[in-house]
Amino acid sequence: DTNILAVSKLARAKAFSHNAVGAVLYKKGDYDKALHEYQKALKIRLKVLGPDHPDTATSHNGIGIVYYEKSDYDRALKEHLEALRICLKELGPSHPITATSHNGIGLVYEARGDYDSALYEYQKAAEIDLNLFGSNHSDTVIFRNNIGSAYYKKGNYDKALDVYQMALEDCRVMFGPNNPKTALSHNNIGLVYRRKGDHNSALEEFQKALKIRLKVLGPNHPDTAASHNSIGVVYGAKGDYDIALNHHQKALKIRSKVLGSNHPKTARCHNNIGMVYCAKGDCNRALYEYQKVLEIRLNVFGPNHPDTAACRNNIGDALRVKGDY
């Protein structure tokens, strides 16, 4: 019995190590290696602890978030739902891991364009965390940012801005000015200002985010690409097309390298490059970029997703400008 207990304890420690390494690799944006480590942890936990243990739920959530980043939304949802099932059975509806599971499910719904369902899951996660830890907790900030994102996607920009500004203040207090979470809040506020047509305020927020991300995450991180992408969009809206193109091409280079050529975020870079070329009057190069976008979005989202429809509209606009009716 003593030997069995010792082996079990060793196995749990090994699983914990794999999970911790996976978390580090995930934060670095190395999703394939992170997935490998999370899957190792899950395999051990299923064998030693069984399918209904809270640690097993943690592994499912880790695997789910990596599949989400890789745009494999069916697998991501399956993992988060399994984690939620375990949590509700073993931990109850008001546990931090339960909140994490709701948040993961919300991310998948948001990526699929189901913003109402995403908002519901984010609010469940935030409610749990707020009741347990109060507003000054790192997960509460994450969930609050995600709630803001759902409002933003729904077109409720004033509500989104309120939520994002609350998250920024919390980030400054908890993490300081040079933290990736603080950068995310600046980026999110910039997105709202851009939608509201305040390009100068948007650019200021995006540049703050980029400065933090270059310093903390480096030039080849997916979040750094997001900042380049956002800055490029604003310069395009201001008519500074060459500067816009430079930032979009930097974003494309990073995302192609880190996320791969068939990722929705890579598609977004192609889309933005196409929009700049269209604005410059180079419709043929714009159409080339839009066709790459359509191919990726059809493959990942299918024909009925809002982003796929938006791409078809862009192709139609470029053809119209060319006079190809």
Side-chain angles (χ1 to χ4, degrees), residues 8 11-12 15 41-56:
S8 176
R12 292 184 70 173
L42 177 62
K43 185 177 180 180
I44 295 169
R45 286 168 170 171
L46 284 170
K47 183 177 180 180
V48 176
L49 303 173
D52 292 332
H53 193 278
D55 288 356
T56 306

Side-chain angles (χ1 to χ4, degrees), residues 215-271:
K215 182 178 180 179
V216 178
L217 302 175
N220 296 313
H221 193 277
D223 289 352
T224 306
S227 288
H228 282 300
N229 189 64
S230 297
I231 291 169
V233 171
V234 175
Y235 275 120
K238 288 164 67 73
D240 294 329
Y241 299 128
D242 290 338
I243 299 175
L245 198 58
N246 178 259
H247 280 283
H248 288 315
Q249 287 170 335
K250 284 181 178 178
L252 177 62
K253 183 178 179 181
I254 297 167
R255 285 176 170 171
S256 296
K257 179 181 178 182
V258 176
L259 303 177
S261 59
N262 293 311
H263 194 280
K265 291 181 179 178
T266 308
R268 197 173 302 156
C269 294
H270 285 295
N271 186 72

